[in-house]
Amino acid sequence: LTGVPREQRAFQYVLAHAIPGDPRHVLQTFDQWGYRCEHLSCVGPVKGRIVERLLYERAPRRVLELGTYCGYGTVLLAQALPAGARLYTVEGNPHHAAVAEKVIRLAGFDEQTVELIVGPSAEVIPQLREQHGLPKADFVFMDHGKRCYLRDLRLLESHQLLAPGATVLADNVLFPGAPHFLQYAKTCGKYRCKVHRASLEY
């Protein structure tokens, strides 16, 4: 009715209530909106703890996120990175990217730490090394279109963008589901797979 997109409404709430430069408070404020006001397709706090634990275990230097959306997952990833690490995040929807850019900077992360790349993942991935300076990713977080998961994993492989021992974490593979991605990951012989059970966000 207002003509203001849901993502923009959420950002206005975060802008009014979150402490600038405090990533955890920015995430908590998003969570308050998600629980009390409107559902957002963010990672959320429950799955967020899984993401954080894996990041602390792996301590990656170069992280790639596919699917920035409002920037929630980006802030979650960035605040758990070791010192000197860099996060590249890719968003195909320019309206979502505009919101995410504000959220990322509100949380206190500059372009040296987090680079937001706007464009379809299928076009961006082949350009990551030459145009964006990503030699290889130690950690990949997939949270974009589920139908793109398998295609983009194979693109990362074919462009040799996965570092030896890299971790690929994919959200929502059971629901709404990415069955072809899951089958490939389990049967191609390149990966050791683990499914983390979690509830849907909010």
Side-chain angles (χ1 to χ4, degrees), residues 24-38:
R24 287 207 172 274
H25 198 260
V26 169
L27 295 176
Q28 289 167 5
T29 309
F30 259 117
D31 292 336
Q32 289 170 4
W33 177 268
Y35 281 122
R36 299 175 186 175
C37 302
E38 292 181 281

Side-chain angles (χ1 to χ4, degrees), residues 24-127:
R24 287 207 172 274
H25 198 260
V26 169
L27 295 176
Q28 289 167 5
T29 309
F30 259 117
D31 292 336
Q32 289 170 4
W33 177 268
Y35 281 122
R36 299 175 186 175
C37 302
E38 292 181 281
H39 178 268
L40 288 171
S41 300
C42 301
V43 180
V46 177
K47 291 188 285 188
R49 285 192 287 274
I50 297 171
V51 177
E52 281 186 306
R53 178 171 53 79
L54 289 170
L55 280 167
Y56 289 134
E57 286 175 4
R58 305 292 195 273
R61 305 295 300 172
R62 295 288 178 268
V63 176
L64 173 64
E65 179 187 32
L66 299 176
T68 316
Y69 188 43
C70 289
Y72 182 105
T74 313
V75 172
L76 179 74
L77 292 164
Q79 57 91 34
L81 291 178
R86 186 163 168 78
L87 168 60
Y88 302 79
T89 183
V90 180
E91 174 55 50
N93 183 318
H95 301 293
H96 293 168
V99 173
E101 180 82 37
K102 297 172 192 170
V103 169
I104 294 162
R105 307 310 168 209
L106 179 69
F109 299 107
D110 59 22
E111 294 182 4
Q112 295 303 114
T113 304
V114 178
E115 181 180 348
L116 173 59
I117 305 164
V118 183
S121 55
E123 295 177 12
V124 172
I125 289 172
Q127 302 170 349

Side-chain angles (χ1 to χ4, degrees), residues 183-200:
Q183 182 182 24
Y184 176 78
K186 287 180 176 179
T187 61
C188 72
K190 300 174 185 176
Y191 305 99
R192 287 179 296 166
C193 295
K194 179 177 180 180
V195 176
H196 300 268
R197 301 280 173 176
S199 60
L200 285 176

Side-chain angles (χ1 to χ4, degrees), residues 139-199:
F139 193 103
V140 178
F141 182 48
M142 293 186 169
D143 196 14
H144 57 323
K146 312 312 161 213
R147 292 180 180 178
C148 304
Y149 280 15
L150 178 56
R151 179 202 69 197
D152 288 353
L153 178 62
R154 300 192 78 161
L155 270 175
L156 290 168
E157 291 173 351
S158 64
H159 287 85
Q160 299 180 329
L161 286 164
L162 295 175
T167 298
V168 178
L169 183 62
D171 195 12
N172 303 121
V173 293
L174 299 180
F175 182 84
H180 299 298
F181 166 85
L182 211 52
Q183 182 182 24
Y184 176 78
K186 287 180 176 179
T187 61
C188 72
K190 300 174 185 176
Y191 305 99
R192 287 179 296 166
C193 295
K194 179 177 180 180
V195 176
H196 300 268
R197 301 280 173 176
S199 60

